[in-house]
Amino acid sequence: MNKLNYKRFFPLAEFIHKNLSFVAWTAFMGMERTGLADKYCDKIWIEPKDYINQLSDAVHYLDSWHHEVAIYNIPLCLLPRDLHKFAKKSISDWKNYYPEICSDCAIKESCCGLFTTSSSVLNNIQPLTCLYE
């Protein structure tokens, strides 16, 4: 998910439902800021909070039609609770990172955390919600 495609999430979901009924699984993947994605981050990086509405609309649309849908690479604290059931613990252990703010999180074990490759960008993570206080 990036600055160039986030406005197309819902049209993509509609296209998948209407034209690709054979698709077994749709995953919306948060961007790992590494390699060329890091080099061109000023053109493609967008904070999850800035595309959450578009993501929510697309995920709920597909789910309403009983499509299997998932969200990868976005920490649970950056997602509204109604999207938690779609979030997967998707980042490989060897490149998984939890900043200090995550140390007391009650649902850390279910959360994908962050990419170590992207940690410098996300060290100042600001959760959308304060979960399970």
Side-chain angles (χ1 to χ4, degrees), residues 1-129:
M1 297 181 280
N2 63 60
K3 194 185 300 184
L4 302 177
N5 68 16
Y6 80 98
K7 292 180 181 176
R8 299 183 195 141
F9 293 169
F10 191 80
L12 175 63
E14 287 182 311
F15 183 84
I16 290 169
H17 171 65
K18 293 176 182 175
N19 300 295
L20 304 173
S21 59
F22 56 86
V23 169
W25 189 267
T26 301
F28 290 89
M29 298 187 71
M31 188 173 78
E32 179 178 6
R33 264 191 67 173
T34 189
L36 291 175
D38 195 41
K39 182 178 178 180
Y40 297 108
C41 72
D42 59 321
K43 292 178 176 49
I44 62 174
W45 178 258
I46 184 170
E47 293 293 330
K49 67 179 177 60
D50 295 328
Y51 62 72
I52 217 68
N53 291 334
Q54 291 83 358
L55 177 62
S56 181
D57 290 347
V59 167
H60 286 297
Y61 175 82
L62 288 170
D63 182 56
S64 73
W65 287 103
H66 307 289
H67 289 272
E68 293 291 329
V69 61
I71 300 169
Y72 291 172
N73 309 339
I74 305 294
L76 292 173
C77 63
L78 297 183
L79 294 172
R81 288 186 188 183
D82 65 319
L83 292 180
H84 285 196
K85 67 182 180 178
F86 303 103
K88 306 298 179 198
K89 192 166 183 175
S90 52
I91 299 174
S92 302
D93 291 342
W94 62 274
K95 60 180 176 177
N96 187 252
Y97 166 74
Y98 295 94
E100 182 64 31
I101 196 171
C102 302
S103 60
D104 294 326
C105 180
I107 58 173
K108 181 178 172 182
E109 292 302 315
S110 302
C111 184
C112 69
L114 305 169
F115 286 104
T116 54
T117 55
S118 301
S119 61
S120 63
V121 170
L122 297 169
N123 273 335
N124 296 318
I125 193 169
Q126 295 298 317
L128 288 179
T129 58

